[in-house]
Amino acid sequence: MTSTAFPDPADTWNRRFAEDGFLFGTGPNAWLREHASVWQPGQRVLSVADGEGRNSVWLAQQGLRVDAFDIAEVGVAKARRLAAEQGVDVNFTVSDCDAFPWPEAAYDGVAAIFVQFADPALRTRLFANMRRCLKPGGTLVLQGYTPRQLVYRTGGPPIESHLYTEALLREAFAEMEITALREYEAELAEGSGHRGRSALIGLVARRRPVAA
Ligand SMILES: C[S@@+](CC[C@H](N)C(=O)[O-])C[C@H]1O[C@@H](n2cnc3c(N)ncnc32)[C@H](O)[C@@H]1O
């Protein structure tokens, strides 16, 4: 059994990823690209629900050591091929987010780009795991849609409780040092899956270093 608001998410996403091409393109998400300089080459980063690998492969191209997981084996197979074509190593795993081992304080970074499959209960567990697997001083880069996206419908789940507001993210990551938190609108051109005017939110937050 998997834990998500959608019935059989692996099947749903495997079908979507079985289409030709890359649903969200092969280039990295723009918010991630803009903020990835928080990590230094050689550092260890986890790409959460990585899909067809556009973000993990790009992070590996920046010299990072990248782990990535996703529930959809068809997506992960495409991601492995993309990494091989680009000549980079990414440690891919097929896993539901509740089943992923989430090693404690293991990563310098977590990239969580459009992980809004999670309903509020799953999101609470997912965000707790994302916080916990960061080393003290490690940084989370997260991108999602705001409820205003229900007007645009150019990507993301059309379910308000899955979408993020600044207040929601501020509360969810209150233990962390938030270094960027921005609601904004932009034209996305990330494959056919995320295309057109979009109501976005981006977060960068650092797990607080252990006090001396
Ligand atoms: C909107 S896509 C984003 C993919 C990728 N992060 C990107 O930006 O290209 C959402 C991803 O979440 C994955 N997913 C859905 N439910 C999941 C779950 N319970 N555990 C892990 N991954 C899941 C899907 O397979 C899909 O790849």
Side-chain angles (χ1 to χ4, degrees):
M1 149 157 177
T2 56
S3 50
T4 179
F6 298 108
D8 205 343
D11 183 59
T12 303
W13 282 98
N14 277 329
R15 283 168 199 263
R16 298 188 78 189
F17 291 145
E19 302 282 320
D20 283 344
F22 284 74
L23 184 59
F24 305 111
T26 53
N29 165 257
W31 178 265
L32 178 64
R33 193 181 53 227
E34 204 179 310
H35 294 281
S37 59
V38 294
W39 304 308
Q40 305 309 313
Q43 288 192 321
R44 199 169 167 214
V45 174
L46 174 67
S47 182
V48 174
D50 182 61
E52 295 167 306
R54 66 186 179 122
N55 296 316
S56 59
V57 167
W58 181 80
L59 290 167
Q61 287 172 324
Q62 310 314 301
L64 294 158
R65 291 184 293 142
V66 185
D67 291 349
F69 76 88
D70 196 280
I71 199 170
E73 62 190 273
V74 174
V76 174
K78 284 168 92 172
R80 287 186 205 279
R81 287 198 293 277
L82 183 64
E85 276 164 26
Q86 299 297 323
V88 292
D89 285 329
V90 174
N91 178 30
F92 291 109
T93 308
V94 177
S95 179
D96 175 87
C97 60
D98 270 345
F100 187 72
W102 298 104
E104 167 83 36
Y107 294 104
D108 301 289
V110 169
I113 307 301
F114 296 120
V115 296
Q116 291 177 305
F117 55 83
D119 67 11
L122 176 55
R123 182 173 64 224
T124 299
R125 299 194 297 278
L126 177 63
F127 282 4
N129 282 325
M130 284 165 27
R131 289 192 304 265
R132 215 165 37 82
C133 79
L134 279 168
K135 293 177 188 171
T139 302
L140 165 69
V141 175
L142 173 144
Q143 166 99 98
Y145 291 109
T146 68
R148 193 163 165 70
Q149 179 65 6
L150 296 174
V151 176
Y152 293 129
R153 292 184 173 249
T154 49
I159 311 170
E160 185 159 7
S161 62
H162 289 226
L163 305 178
Y164 308 151
T165 61
E166 278 194 16
L168 183 150
L169 293 181
R170 214 173 271 292
E171 188 182 333
F173 296 102
E175 295 163 14
M176 296 175 70
E177 181 194 352
I178 294 177
T179 57
L181 177 57
R182 187 153 66 93
E183 284 191 30
Y184 61 103
E185 298 199 357
E187 294 290 327
L188 284 194
E190 303 188 348
S192 59
H194 291 157
R195 179 160 294 272
R197 193 80 191 155
S198 305
L200 299 164
I201 188 163
L203 171 84
V204 180
R206 198 163 77 109
R207 184 168 180 181
R208 292 184 193 283
V210 179

